[in-house]
Amino acid sequence: MTTTSLPEQVWLPRSISEPTDAHRLLGAELEPCGHAMILHAQGRIDGYTSARWQHILDSALIATSADGGGYLIVDTTDIDFLSLRAILAIIEHCEQGCRRRIAISVVDPRPRSIIARILTLTGLTSWLPVFADQFDALVAASATNPRP
C-alpha cells in the first residue's frame, strides 16, 4: 500500500455548490491513522448544510481511495444535530466506498444512538457498523480487509 502525503489533519474547504455560511455550521477534518482515515465532523447536518455534508463525504472518499482503498471512519461525536437525510448520505457513500474498496464505519458515542437504531431497523448494521469510540472502530478496521 502506498502512503498519501497528507498532513496530520486536513481541513475540508467549502464547495461552490453550498450556501456561503454552511462551513460555519458544519466543519470537518480528515485525519490519516495508519490504513484508515478518520473524518471528524463538527456542527449541524440538516437540510441547510446537506450540500456541504455531501461534499465532505465525497472528499473523504476521494482522499481514502487515493491510498488504494482502506477504511473511512466517520466520527459524529461533535455533531449537534444529524438529520435522517445525513444518515442516508452515509449509507449511499457506503455503496460508493465498496466500489472503491473502502469500508466505512461510524463512531457515535451517544447512548441509544439514532444512527445505530436506524441501521438496526433497516438491517444495515453489518454493512455500516456503528461504534461507541474511535478505538473500537480502528480495531474493527484492522481486523477486516475490504480489498480483494
Side-chain angles (χ1 to χ4, degrees):
M1 174 185 339
T2 58
T3 323
T4 56
S5 58
L6 291 173
E8 207 166 293
Q9 288 193 326
V10 177
W11 179 256
L12 297 173
R14 185 174 88 75
S15 164
I16 59 169
S17 66
E18 61 193 54
T20 55
D21 62 343
H23 67 283
R24 290 189 189 113
L25 300 172
L26 176 60
E29 293 178 350
L30 198 55
E31 176 186 10
C33 188
H35 60 283
M37 290 286 219
I38 303 173
L39 174 63
H40 301 278
Q42 309 93 25
R44 300 179 52 83
I45 308 172
D46 55 20
Y48 189 72
T49 59
S50 64
R52 174 141 180 84
W53 182 236
Q54 288 289 334
H55 173 68
I56 287 169
L57 290 173
D58 291 342
S59 298
L61 273 181
I62 290 167
T64 305
S65 67
D67 198 25
Y71 309 95
L72 176 61
I73 299 168
V74 180
D75 186 352
T76 64
T77 301
D78 295 324
I79 292 295
D80 301 325
F81 178 80
L82 186 73
S83 69
L84 178 58
R85 183 66 193 109
I87 297 169
L88 292 174
I90 298 171
I91 294 168
E92 290 166 358
H93 279 78
C94 277
E95 183 178 353
Q96 294 174 30
C98 286
R99 288 193 302 266
R100 296 178 180 183
R101 295 181 289 184
I102 298 170
I104 298 177
S105 63
V106 174
V107 172
D108 188 350
R110 291 171 272 275
R112 298 191 34 82
S113 159
I114 189 69
I115 300 170
R117 291 190 327 211
I118 288 171
L119 294 174
T120 299
L121 287 171
T122 58
L124 296 173
T125 52
S126 63
W127 198 45
L128 178 61
V130 178
F131 298 95
D133 58 50
Q134 285 182 27
F135 179 79
D136 289 344
L138 286 167
V139 168
S142 66
T144 60
N145 186 2
R147 300 173 193 200

